[in-house]
Amino acid sequence: MKAVQLVRTRITYAGAAFAELALWHLPKPVAGSAHRFKYRLAYVVGGVCVLRYDNEDGKGDHRHFGGRQSAYVFTTPDRLIADFQRDIARWNHENRDS
């Protein structure tokens, strides 16, 4: 089995804000992850990545939010995207006056 790209999209939220989502189903897990998905979800505002979920090889599942990196517990692709969208809404709410 080869890697199969499941999602590759860019969503515009405003003139200076967009999200990019990329998700693949792999033949075997990447180092540090127990599942067979590789993903990179990023929210960019004004040219700066303010939120990112990824599982780069060797680092496992994690997210970057508010300048901090923390572990992320991956369960399903649908849950991943829902969590990402929830954090976008949270970031927009917390930064609405910026």
Side-chain angles (χ1 to χ4, degrees), residues 21-37:
L21 294 80
L23 174 69
W24 298 266
H25 188 250
L26 306 175
K28 63 179 185 170
V30 296
S33 294
H35 54 82
R36 296 188 319 167
F37 294 95

Side-chain angles (χ1 to χ4, degrees), residues 39-41 52-54 62-63 72 80 83-84 87:
Y39 57 89
R40 183 183 66 252
L41 291 71
R52 187 172 78 244
Y53 281 64
D54 65 285
H62 61 283
R63 73 179 186 129
Y72 175 72
L80 170 71
D83 290 344
F84 179 63
D87 277 348

Side-chain angles (χ1 to χ4, degrees), residues 33-80:
S33 294
H35 54 82
R36 296 188 319 167
F37 294 95
K38 171 78 175 143
Y39 57 89
R40 183 183 66 252
L41 291 71
Y43 184 52
V44 178
V45 178
V48 176
C49 182
V50 298
L51 170 64
R52 187 172 78 244
Y53 281 64
D54 65 285
N55 64 334
E56 72 184 78
D57 200 23
K59 290 185 86 174
D61 303 290
H62 61 283
R63 73 179 186 129
H64 305 260
F65 186 94
R68 298 174 137 179
Q69 180 178 310
S70 59
Y72 175 72
V73 178
F74 179 94
T75 55
T76 67
D78 288 339
R79 180 81 254 160
L80 170 71

